[in-house]
Amino acid sequence: MSATEATETESTDTKSGAKAALLLGALGVVFGDIGTSPLYAVQTVFSHSALRPVAVEQTAIYGAVSLIFWSVTVMVSVMYLLLFMRADNDGEGGLLSLVALLRQRELSQRLLLGLATMAVFGAALFFGDSMITPAISVLSAMEGLEIVNPSLEKIVVPGALVILLFLFAGQRYGTARVGRAFGPIMVLWFGALALLGVRGIAQHPAVLQALSPHWAIRYLVEEPLTAFLSLGAVVLAITGAEAVYADMGHFGKRPIRRAWFFLVFPALVLNYLGQGAFLAEDPSGASNPFFLLVPHWARIPMLVLATMATIIASQAVISGAFSVARQATRLGYLPRVRVRHTSPDAPGQIYVPFVNWLLMIAVLTLVVMFQSSHRLAAAYGVAVIGTITVTTTLFFVLQWVRAKRPRAQIVAVGVFFLTFVLVFLAANLVKVGEGGWLPLGTGTIIFVVLTTWRRGRELADASRDKMEGPLQQFVDDLHSHEIPVQRVKGCAVFLSRGEGSTPMAMRANVEHNHTLHAHVIVLTLNTPPIPRVPAEERLKVHDLGFSDDGISQVTATFGYEENTSLPEILRQADEDGLEGGRLDVENASYFVSAPDLRITDSPGMAKWRKHLFAATTRVTSDPIEFFELPRGRTVSLGAEIEI
């Protein structure tokens, strides 16, 4: 073999290995949530409820399994995997990516505000989902202890709490490591699901009839109220669909689709059929058909495997919550929080400490409050279908705006899928009193926080505009000596909130210290609604008209998925050529503004929301750490801002 051939072979092997790693990682992170739905979905359909006592008989069994199969097929396989994943924002998915795509279109401000508000509420529901998933998943696995030995019931809740503590403590090691570790376990899990399903089907092959939609239709026709209310439990089979979309930026479309269609989907279908077959043979097993389907000798190994799989299920939504939190920060709906990039090769793999610990507290509280997966099921369904409803609506609005296909076709397809989703939403809203209030309440609180932060920022920025004044006028005054100032050696970098504005720290330094460095860079960060910006579009240098003053204005543009290292920006700007020649970049001093808020009775926002905004600013991460500034060469200058 020639050297060239050997190199090409090695390159092919490397690419194949990378693809396999992505596929394995997707199994370990993306499909954990939906992959553990068989633990509780069928059980919840037939659980006792005052609203819908379900008789465990053939029509109900075949009808419920048929509803699960077609719901997963339509909502996950078709809607999310084939349709929604086409609406990616440079590879990134999720509700806020849809909003970013809509922002790039010429829409009226009122319509855009309405759509953005809907998306923010959907994102708030997703955070609620991220709280419930770890609690219900781990609890459902630990409840297998009751099947192994009823006397072990007492350790279900404490065991779940311990597992969840370890899960959240391990998040700092990163999605990549977690994915590699969990991927092989999920392969084993989905293989076990398929084998259990085959075992059940072999005992009652007639259950294969449930693949026909006529059983779902028959169930809805013969027992309309019971079947309709059962949809509130059927929706549990599609939990994790939104996480699949939100995690698209972590692993890419192709690995996710391949993993779903070649392994995850077949395994889930077989297992749901197997549970239906088991119930047809033994209706008394409706209390926990998943674990009762397992042979006696395999129940303890399956319990261990299920526990590991539910840990992975929790990971799927936690990583999705990290992605949504960073997008919300960059799009202006959350304060700047510390984000750690956990992989040098995959910028989408991140860890957000504040979100992680907040989620941990919420999840542990839910476990203690609800004590069982059955009690959490009602709350879970409302969060899942609420987020799906918002995503579906925004997706088809985007298709209408893009108009890449005949609009009559877009309307027809959109009406079909929205009707499908809204039926599930209606069935779940009936359960608000049984626990559905939890995600709605949580979502409302998070929604208020997100919108308050955005509105508060607008008010604070307006106040700062009045204080800072135009940069060009400030430079003109310096040049005409109307502002007395002594120039000292060195390079200073002042962070500016917007192009054309005088940085508050720069004005304060001149007014109080009467000094300014010989070389000054006014640096503005711009974050358009796209995840990444090409390197050639990263920097823009503005000529302020007086090169002998040594003052340059630089605008650095970053996507909302990119890391922002200001020293690296400065090096690139220096290489591109700044006014005043080569600069001593490595010894530059950085000046940042540290404003204090003063709440007034001025109009614009309710006073209680102003207090909430002020409280939220306290969790804002240190700008020195966030922008990777050298702490020993960074100065913070304060000022009071009225809102």
Short mmCIF file of all heavy atoms in Angstrom, two decimals, residues 163-221:
data_model
loop_
_atom_site.label_atom_id
_atom_site.label_comp_id
_atom_site.label_asym_id
_atom_site.label_seq_id
_atom_site.Cartn_x
_atom_site.Cartn_y
_atom_site.Cartn_z
N ILE A 163 -29.28 8.82 43.66
CA ILE A 163 -28.91 8.71 42.25
C ILE A 163 -28.91 10.08 41.58
O ILE A 163 -27.99 10.43 40.82
CB ILE A 163 -29.87 7.75 41.53
CG1 ILE A 163 -29.62 6.31 41.99
CG2 ILE A 163 -29.71 7.84 40.01
CD1 ILE A 163 -30.68 5.33 41.55
N LEU A 164 -29.94 10.86 41.85
CA LEU A 164 -30.05 12.18 41.23
C LEU A 164 -28.94 13.11 41.71
O LEU A 164 -28.42 13.92 40.93
CB LEU A 164 -31.42 12.77 41.54
CG LEU A 164 -32.59 12.09 40.81
CD1 LEU A 164 -33.92 12.50 41.41
CD2 LEU A 164 -32.55 12.43 39.32
N LEU A 165 -28.56 13.01 42.97
CA LEU A 165 -27.45 13.82 43.47
C LEU A 165 -26.17 13.53 42.70
O LEU A 165 -25.44 14.46 42.30
CB LEU A 165 -27.25 13.56 44.96
CG LEU A 165 -28.16 14.31 45.93
CD1 LEU A 165 -27.98 13.78 47.35
CD2 LEU A 165 -27.85 15.81 45.89
N PHE A 166 -25.87 12.26 42.49
CA PHE A 166 -24.67 11.88 41.74
C PHE A 166 -24.76 12.35 40.29
O PHE A 166 -23.76 12.78 39.70
CB PHE A 166 -24.46 10.36 41.79
CG PHE A 166 -23.75 9.90 43.02
CD1 PHE A 166 -24.42 9.26 44.05
CD2 PHE A 166 -22.38 10.11 43.17
CE1 PHE A 166 -23.77 8.84 45.20
CE2 PHE A 166 -21.71 9.70 44.31
CZ PHE A 166 -22.40 9.06 45.33
N LEU A 167 -25.96 12.28 39.70
CA LEU A 167 -26.14 12.70 38.31
C LEU A 167 -25.80 14.18 38.14
O LEU A 167 -25.01 14.54 37.25
CB LEU A 167 -27.58 12.45 37.86
CG LEU A 167 -27.96 13.03 36.49
CD1 LEU A 167 -27.17 12.35 35.38
CD2 LEU A 167 -29.46 12.90 36.25
N PHE A 168 -26.37 15.02 38.97
CA PHE A 168 -26.12 16.45 38.81
C PHE A 168 -24.68 16.82 39.18
O PHE A 168 -24.10 17.73 38.60
CB PHE A 168 -27.11 17.25 39.65
CG PHE A 168 -28.48 17.34 39.04
CD1 PHE A 168 -29.51 16.52 39.47
CD2 PHE A 168 -28.73 18.24 38.01
CE1 PHE A 168 -30.77 16.59 38.89
CE2 PHE A 168 -29.99 18.32 37.43
CZ PHE A 168 -31.01 17.50 37.87
N ALA A 169 -24.10 16.11 40.13
CA ALA A 169 -22.70 16.37 40.50
C ALA A 169 -21.76 16.03 39.35
O ALA A 169 -20.69 16.63 39.22
CB ALA A 169 -22.33 15.58 41.74
N GLY A 170 -22.16 15.08 38.49
CA GLY A 170 -21.30 14.66 37.38
C GLY A 170 -21.42 15.50 36.13
O GLY A 170 -20.67 15.28 35.16
N GLN A 171 -22.33 16.48 36.11
CA GLN A 171 -22.53 17.27 34.90
C GLN A 171 -21.30 18.08 34.51
O GLN A 171 -21.08 18.36 33.33
CB GLN A 171 -23.72 18.22 35.09
CG GLN A 171 -25.06 17.53 35.17
CD GLN A 171 -25.37 16.75 33.92
OE1 GLN A 171 -25.23 17.25 32.80
NE2 GLN A 171 -25.79 15.51 34.10
N ARG A 172 -20.49 18.45 35.49
CA ARG A 172 -19.33 19.29 35.17
C ARG A 172 -18.31 18.59 34.29
O ARG A 172 -17.44 19.23 33.71
CB ARG A 172 -18.67 19.78 36.46
CG ARG A 172 -18.01 18.68 37.28
CD ARG A 172 -17.41 19.27 38.57
NE ARG A 172 -16.70 18.29 39.34
CZ ARG A 172 -17.25 17.48 40.23
NH1 ARG A 172 -18.57 17.54 40.43
NH2 ARG A 172 -16.53 16.62 40.91
N TYR A 173 -18.40 17.25 34.19
CA TYR A 173 -17.44 16.53 33.35
C TYR A 173 -17.79 16.61 31.87
O TYR A 173 -16.99 16.20 31.03
CB TYR A 173 -17.36 15.06 33.79
CG TYR A 173 -16.82 14.92 35.18
CD1 TYR A 173 -17.63 14.49 36.22
CD2 TYR A 173 -15.49 15.24 35.46
CE1 TYR A 173 -17.15 14.36 37.52
CE2 TYR A 173 -14.99 15.13 36.76
CZ TYR A 173 -15.82 14.68 37.77
OH TYR A 173 -15.33 14.58 39.05
N GLY A 174 -18.98 17.10 31.55
CA GLY A 174 -19.29 17.39 30.16
C GLY A 174 -20.13 16.35 29.45
O GLY A 174 -20.12 15.17 29.78
N THR A 175 -20.88 16.85 28.45
CA THR A 175 -21.77 16.01 27.66
C THR A 175 -21.01 14.94 26.88
O THR A 175 -21.48 13.82 26.72
CB THR A 175 -22.57 16.89 26.67
OG1 THR A 175 -23.22 17.92 27.41
CG2 THR A 175 -23.61 16.09 25.93
N ALA A 176 -19.82 15.29 26.37
CA ALA A 176 -19.08 14.33 25.55
C ALA A 176 -18.71 13.08 26.35
O ALA A 176 -18.93 11.96 25.90
CB ALA A 176 -17.81 15.00 25.00
N ARG A 177 -18.16 13.29 27.55
CA ARG A 177 -17.78 12.14 28.38
C ARG A 177 -19.00 11.33 28.80
O ARG A 177 -19.00 10.11 28.80
CB ARG A 177 -17.03 12.62 29.62
CG ARG A 177 -15.66 13.20 29.33
CD ARG A 177 -14.93 13.52 30.63
NE ARG A 177 -13.66 14.16 30.38
CZ ARG A 177 -12.83 14.54 31.34
NH1 ARG A 177 -13.16 14.33 32.60
NH2 ARG A 177 -11.69 15.12 31.05
N VAL A 178 -20.07 12.09 29.15
CA VAL A 178 -21.30 11.41 29.55
C VAL A 178 -21.84 10.58 28.40
O VAL A 178 -22.27 9.44 28.56
CB VAL A 178 -22.34 12.44 30.04
CG1 VAL A 178 -23.69 11.80 30.24
CG2 VAL A 178 -21.87 13.08 31.33
N GLY A 179 -21.84 11.17 27.20
CA GLY A 179 -22.35 10.47 26.03
C GLY A 179 -21.57 9.21 25.72
O GLY A 179 -22.15 8.16 25.42
N ARG A 180 -20.24 9.29 25.80
CA ARG A 180 -19.42 8.11 25.52
C ARG A 180 -19.65 7.03 26.56
O ARG A 180 -19.66 5.84 26.25
CB ARG A 180 -17.94 8.50 25.47
CG ARG A 180 -17.53 9.22 24.20
CD ARG A 180 -16.02 9.26 24.07
NE ARG A 180 -15.38 10.02 25.14
CZ ARG A 180 -15.12 11.31 25.08
NH1 ARG A 180 -15.45 11.99 24.02
NH2 ARG A 180 -14.52 11.93 26.09
N ALA A 181 -19.83 7.44 27.82
CA ALA A 181 -20.03 6.45 28.87
C ALA A 181 -21.41 5.83 28.79
O ALA A 181 -21.59 4.63 29.01
CB ALA A 181 -19.83 7.12 30.24
N PHE A 182 -22.41 6.64 28.46
CA PHE A 182 -23.79 6.17 28.46
C PHE A 182 -24.20 5.49 27.16
O PHE A 182 -25.15 4.72 27.13
CB PHE A 182 -24.74 7.35 28.71
CG PHE A 182 -24.75 7.81 30.15
CD1 PHE A 182 -25.40 8.99 30.50
CD2 PHE A 182 -24.13 7.08 31.15
CE1 PHE A 182 -25.43 9.42 31.81
CE2 PHE A 182 -24.14 7.51 32.46
CZ PHE A 182 -24.80 8.68 32.79
N GLY A 183 -23.49 5.81 26.06
CA GLY A 183 -23.86 5.25 24.77
C GLY A 183 -23.95 3.73 24.76
O GLY A 183 -24.98 3.16 24.37
N PRO A 184 -22.91 3.01 25.19
CA PRO A 184 -22.98 1.54 25.22
C PRO A 184 -24.10 1.02 26.11
O PRO A 184 -24.73 0.00 25.80
CB PRO A 184 -21.60 1.14 25.75
CG PRO A 184 -20.70 2.28 25.42
CD PRO A 184 -21.56 3.49 25.55
N ILE A 185 -24.36 1.72 27.22
CA ILE A 185 -25.45 1.29 28.10
C ILE A 185 -26.79 1.39 27.37
O ILE A 185 -27.65 0.52 27.48
CB ILE A 185 -25.47 2.14 29.39
CG1 ILE A 185 -24.17 1.92 30.18
CG2 ILE A 185 -26.68 1.79 30.26
CD1 ILE A 185 -24.01 2.85 31.36
N MET A 186 -26.96 2.48 26.60
CA MET A 186 -28.22 2.65 25.88
C MET A 186 -28.38 1.63 24.76
O MET A 186 -29.50 1.21 24.44
CB MET A 186 -28.32 4.07 25.33
CG MET A 186 -28.54 5.13 26.40
SD MET A 186 -29.93 4.78 27.51
CE MET A 186 -31.32 4.98 26.41
N VAL A 187 -27.29 1.23 24.14
CA VAL A 187 -27.37 0.15 23.15
C VAL A 187 -27.91 -1.12 23.81
O VAL A 187 -28.80 -1.80 23.28
CB VAL A 187 -25.99 -0.12 22.51
CG1 VAL A 187 -26.03 -1.37 21.64
CG2 VAL A 187 -25.55 1.08 21.67
N LEU A 188 -27.37 -1.42 25.00
CA LEU A 188 -27.83 -2.58 25.76
C LEU A 188 -29.29 -2.40 26.17
O LEU A 188 -30.10 -3.35 26.10
CB LEU A 188 -26.94 -2.76 26.99
CG LEU A 188 -27.18 -4.01 27.85
CD1 LEU A 188 -26.98 -5.28 27.02
CD2 LEU A 188 -26.25 -4.00 29.06
N TRP A 189 -29.67 -1.19 26.58
CA TRP A 189 -31.04 -0.91 27.01
C TRP A 189 -32.05 -1.13 25.87
O TRP A 189 -33.06 -1.80 26.04
CB TRP A 189 -31.14 0.51 27.54
CG TRP A 189 -32.55 0.99 27.80
CD1 TRP A 189 -33.25 1.91 27.08
CD2 TRP A 189 -33.42 0.56 28.85
NE1 TRP A 189 -34.49 2.09 27.60
CE2 TRP A 189 -34.64 1.27 28.70
CE3 TRP A 189 -33.29 -0.35 29.90
CZ2 TRP A 189 -35.71 1.10 29.56
CZ3 TRP A 189 -34.37 -0.52 30.76
CH2 TRP A 189 -35.56 0.19 30.58
N PHE A 190 -31.74 -0.54 24.71
CA PHE A 190 -32.68 -0.69 23.60
C PHE A 190 -32.74 -2.14 23.10
O PHE A 190 -33.79 -2.62 22.66
CB PHE A 190 -32.31 0.26 22.45
CG PHE A 190 -32.64 1.70 22.74
CD1 PHE A 190 -31.64 2.66 22.83
CD2 PHE A 190 -33.95 2.08 22.95
CE1 PHE A 190 -31.94 3.97 23.12
CE2 PHE A 190 -34.27 3.41 23.24
CZ PHE A 190 -33.26 4.35 23.32
N GLY A 191 -31.60 -2.84 23.20
CA GLY A 191 -31.62 -4.26 22.87
C GLY A 191 -32.51 -5.04 23.84
O GLY A 191 -33.29 -5.92 23.42
N ALA A 192 -32.43 -4.68 25.13
CA ALA A 192 -33.28 -5.34 26.13
C ALA A 192 -34.75 -5.03 25.90
O ALA A 192 -35.62 -5.91 26.03
CB ALA A 192 -32.86 -4.91 27.53
N LEU A 193 -35.07 -3.78 25.55
CA LEU A 193 -36.45 -3.42 25.24
C LEU A 193 -37.01 -4.26 24.10
O LEU A 193 -38.14 -4.77 24.15
CB LEU A 193 -36.55 -1.93 24.86
CG LEU A 193 -36.35 -0.88 25.95
CD1 LEU A 193 -36.57 0.52 25.37
CD2 LEU A 193 -37.31 -1.11 27.11
N ALA A 194 -36.19 -4.40 23.05
CA ALA A 194 -36.63 -5.18 21.89
C ALA A 194 -36.85 -6.65 22.26
O ALA A 194 -37.85 -7.25 21.87
CB ALA A 194 -35.60 -5.05 20.77
N LEU A 195 -35.92 -7.23 23.02
CA LEU A 195 -36.04 -8.65 23.40
C LEU A 195 -37.27 -8.88 24.28
O LEU A 195 -37.99 -9.87 24.11
CB LEU A 195 -34.78 -9.11 24.12
CG LEU A 195 -33.52 -9.26 23.24
CD1 LEU A 195 -32.31 -9.59 24.10
CD2 LEU A 195 -33.74 -10.34 22.18
N LEU A 196 -37.51 -7.97 25.22
CA LEU A 196 -38.70 -8.10 26.06
C LEU A 196 -39.97 -8.02 25.21
O LEU A 196 -40.94 -8.75 25.43
CB LEU A 196 -38.74 -7.00 27.12
CG LEU A 196 -37.80 -7.16 28.31
CD1 LEU A 196 -37.89 -5.94 29.22
CD2 LEU A 196 -38.14 -8.43 29.10
N GLY A 197 -39.95 -7.10 24.23
CA GLY A 197 -41.10 -6.98 23.35
C GLY A 197 -41.35 -8.24 22.55
O GLY A 197 -42.49 -8.70 22.43
N VAL A 198 -40.28 -8.80 22.02
CA VAL A 198 -40.41 -10.04 21.24
C VAL A 198 -40.95 -11.16 22.13
O VAL A 198 -41.78 -11.98 21.70
CB VAL A 198 -39.04 -10.42 20.64
CG1 VAL A 198 -39.10 -11.83 20.04
CG2 VAL A 198 -38.64 -9.41 19.56
N ARG A 199 -40.48 -11.19 23.39
CA ARG A 199 -40.96 -12.22 24.33
C ARG A 199 -42.47 -12.10 24.53
O ARG A 199 -43.21 -13.10 24.51
CB ARG A 199 -40.23 -12.08 25.66
CG ARG A 199 -40.66 -13.09 26.73
CD ARG A 199 -39.81 -12.95 27.98
NE ARG A 199 -40.11 -14.02 28.94
CZ ARG A 199 -40.99 -13.92 29.93
NH1 ARG A 199 -41.64 -12.78 30.10
NH2 ARG A 199 -41.21 -14.94 30.74
N GLY A 200 -42.96 -10.88 24.72
CA GLY A 200 -44.39 -10.69 24.91
C GLY A 200 -45.19 -11.03 23.67
O GLY A 200 -46.24 -11.68 23.74
N ILE A 201 -44.69 -10.57 22.51
CA ILE A 201 -45.39 -10.82 21.25
C ILE A 201 -45.49 -12.31 20.97
O ILE A 201 -46.50 -12.81 20.46
CB ILE A 201 -44.68 -10.08 20.09
CG1 ILE A 201 -44.79 -8.56 20.28
CG2 ILE A 201 -45.28 -10.48 18.74
CD1 ILE A 201 -43.90 -7.76 19.36
N ALA A 202 -44.41 -13.04 21.30
CA ALA A 202 -44.41 -14.50 21.07
C ALA A 202 -45.51 -15.19 21.88
O ALA A 202 -46.08 -16.20 21.45
CB ALA A 202 -43.05 -15.08 21.44
N GLN A 203 -45.85 -14.64 23.05
CA GLN A 203 -46.90 -15.23 23.88
C GLN A 203 -48.30 -14.86 23.40
O GLN A 203 -49.26 -15.58 23.67
CB GLN A 203 -46.71 -14.76 25.34
CG GLN A 203 -45.43 -15.27 25.98
CD GLN A 203 -45.20 -14.66 27.36
OE1 GLN A 203 -45.96 -13.82 27.81
NE2 GLN A 203 -44.12 -15.09 28.02
N HIS A 204 -48.41 -13.75 22.66
CA HIS A 204 -49.73 -13.30 22.18
C HIS A 204 -49.54 -12.57 20.85
O HIS A 204 -49.64 -11.35 20.77
CB HIS A 204 -50.37 -12.38 23.23
CG HIS A 204 -51.80 -12.04 22.93
ND1 HIS A 204 -52.85 -12.85 23.30
CD2 HIS A 204 -52.35 -10.98 22.28
CE1 HIS A 204 -53.99 -12.29 22.91
NE2 HIS A 204 -53.70 -11.15 22.29
N PRO A 205 -49.28 -13.31 19.76
CA PRO A 205 -48.98 -12.68 18.47
C PRO A 205 -50.10 -11.79 17.93
O PRO A 205 -49.84 -10.89 17.12
CB PRO A 205 -48.75 -13.89 17.54
CG PRO A 205 -48.43 -15.03 18.44
CD PRO A 205 -49.20 -14.78 19.69
N ALA A 206 -51.31 -12.00 18.37
CA ALA A 206 -52.44 -11.21 17.86
C ALA A 206 -52.29 -9.73 18.16
O ALA A 206 -52.95 -8.89 17.53
CB ALA A 206 -53.75 -11.74 18.46
N VAL A 207 -51.41 -9.37 19.09
CA VAL A 207 -51.23 -7.96 19.44
C VAL A 207 -50.68 -7.16 18.27
O VAL A 207 -50.80 -5.93 18.22
CB VAL A 207 -50.30 -7.83 20.66
CG1 VAL A 207 -48.84 -8.06 20.25
CG2 VAL A 207 -50.45 -6.46 21.33
N LEU A 208 -50.08 -7.84 17.29
CA LEU A 208 -49.56 -7.13 16.11
C LEU A 208 -50.66 -6.40 15.35
O LEU A 208 -50.39 -5.49 14.56
CB LEU A 208 -48.84 -8.12 15.18
CG LEU A 208 -47.54 -8.72 15.74
CD1 LEU A 208 -47.03 -9.84 14.83
CD2 LEU A 208 -46.47 -7.64 15.89
N GLN A 209 -51.90 -6.78 15.60
CA GLN A 209 -53.02 -6.07 14.98
C GLN A 209 -53.05 -4.60 15.41
O GLN A 209 -53.60 -3.75 14.71
CB GLN A 209 -54.34 -6.72 15.37
CG GLN A 209 -54.53 -8.16 14.92
CD GLN A 209 -55.82 -8.73 15.46
OE1 GLN A 209 -56.89 -8.13 15.34
NE2 GLN A 209 -55.75 -9.90 16.08
N ALA A 210 -52.48 -4.31 16.56
CA ALA A 210 -52.50 -2.94 17.09
C ALA A 210 -51.71 -1.97 16.21
O ALA A 210 -51.86 -0.75 16.35
CB ALA A 210 -51.95 -2.93 18.51
N LEU A 211 -50.88 -2.50 15.32
CA LEU A 211 -50.16 -1.62 14.39
C LEU A 211 -51.11 -0.97 13.39
O LEU A 211 -50.77 0.05 12.78
CB LEU A 211 -49.08 -2.41 13.65
CG LEU A 211 -47.93 -2.95 14.51
CD1 LEU A 211 -46.99 -3.80 13.66
CD2 LEU A 211 -47.16 -1.80 15.16
N SER A 212 -52.27 -1.53 13.23
CA SER A 212 -53.27 -0.96 12.32
C SER A 212 -53.98 0.21 13.01
O SER A 212 -54.41 0.10 14.16
CB SER A 212 -54.30 -2.02 11.92
OG SER A 212 -55.38 -1.41 11.23
N PRO A 213 -54.14 1.34 12.31
CA PRO A 213 -54.80 2.50 12.93
C PRO A 213 -56.27 2.26 13.24
O PRO A 213 -56.87 3.03 14.00
CB PRO A 213 -54.63 3.60 11.88
CG PRO A 213 -54.42 2.89 10.59
CD PRO A 213 -53.69 1.63 10.94
N HIS A 214 -56.85 1.17 12.68
CA HIS A 214 -58.28 0.97 12.90
C HIS A 214 -58.59 0.66 14.37
O HIS A 214 -59.67 0.95 14.86
CB HIS A 214 -58.82 -0.15 11.98
CG HIS A 214 -58.91 -1.50 12.62
ND1 HIS A 214 -57.84 -2.37 12.63
CD2 HIS A 214 -59.94 -2.12 13.27
CE1 HIS A 214 -58.21 -3.48 13.26
NE2 HIS A 214 -59.48 -3.36 13.65
N TRP A 215 -57.57 0.09 15.10
CA TRP A 215 -57.80 -0.18 16.52
C TRP A 215 -57.85 1.12 17.32
O TRP A 215 -58.64 1.25 18.27
CB TRP A 215 -56.72 -1.11 17.07
CG TRP A 215 -57.02 -2.55 16.81
CD1 TRP A 215 -56.46 -3.36 15.86
CD2 TRP A 215 -57.99 -3.35 17.49
NE1 TRP A 215 -57.00 -4.61 15.91
CE2 TRP A 215 -57.96 -4.65 16.90
CE3 TRP A 215 -58.89 -3.12 18.52
CZ2 TRP A 215 -58.77 -5.69 17.32
CZ3 TRP A 215 -59.71 -4.15 18.94
CH2 TRP A 215 -59.66 -5.43 18.35
N ALA A 216 -57.00 2.08 16.97
CA ALA A 216 -57.04 3.38 17.63
C ALA A 216 -58.37 4.07 17.35
O ALA A 216 -59.00 4.63 18.27
CB ALA A 216 -55.88 4.25 17.16
N ILE A 217 -58.80 4.02 16.10
CA ILE A 217 -60.08 4.64 15.71
C ILE A 217 -61.24 3.94 16.41
O ILE A 217 -62.17 4.59 16.92
CB ILE A 217 -60.24 4.60 14.18
CG1 ILE A 217 -59.14 5.44 13.51
CG2 ILE A 217 -61.62 5.11 13.78
CD1 ILE A 217 -59.07 5.27 12.01
N ARG A 218 -61.20 2.62 16.45
CA ARG A 218 -62.27 1.85 17.10
C ARG A 218 -62.36 2.21 18.57
O ARG A 218 -63.47 2.37 19.11
CB ARG A 218 -62.00 0.36 16.92
CG ARG A 218 -63.03 -0.55 17.59
CD ARG A 218 -62.71 -2.00 17.31
NE ARG A 218 -63.53 -2.89 18.15
CZ ARG A 218 -63.46 -4.22 18.13
NH1 ARG A 218 -62.59 -4.83 17.30
NH2 ARG A 218 -64.23 -4.94 18.93
N TYR A 219 -61.23 2.32 19.23
CA TYR A 219 -61.21 2.68 20.65
C TYR A 219 -61.84 4.06 20.86
O TYR A 219 -62.65 4.28 21.76
CB TYR A 219 -59.76 2.66 21.14
CG TYR A 219 -59.56 2.85 22.62
CD1 TYR A 219 -60.50 2.40 23.55
CD2 TYR A 219 -58.41 3.46 23.10
CE1 TYR A 219 -60.30 2.55 24.92
CE2 TYR A 219 -58.19 3.63 24.47
CZ TYR A 219 -59.15 3.17 25.37
OH TYR A 219 -58.94 3.34 26.73
N LEU A 220 -61.49 5.02 20.00
CA LEU A 220 -62.02 6.38 20.11
C LEU A 220 -63.52 6.43 19.82
O LEU A 220 -64.24 7.24 20.39
CB LEU A 220 -61.27 7.31 19.16
CG LEU A 220 -59.81 7.63 19.53
CD1 LEU A 220 -59.08 8.26 18.36
CD2 LEU A 220 -59.76 8.55 20.75
N VAL A 221 -63.98 5.54 18.93
CA VAL A 221 -65.40 5.54 18.56
C VAL A 221 -66.25 4.82 19.61
O VAL A 221 -67.30 5.31 20.03
CB VAL A 221 -65.60 4.88 17.18
CG1 VAL A 221 -67.09 4.65 16.89
CG2 VAL A 221 -64.99 5.76 16.09
#
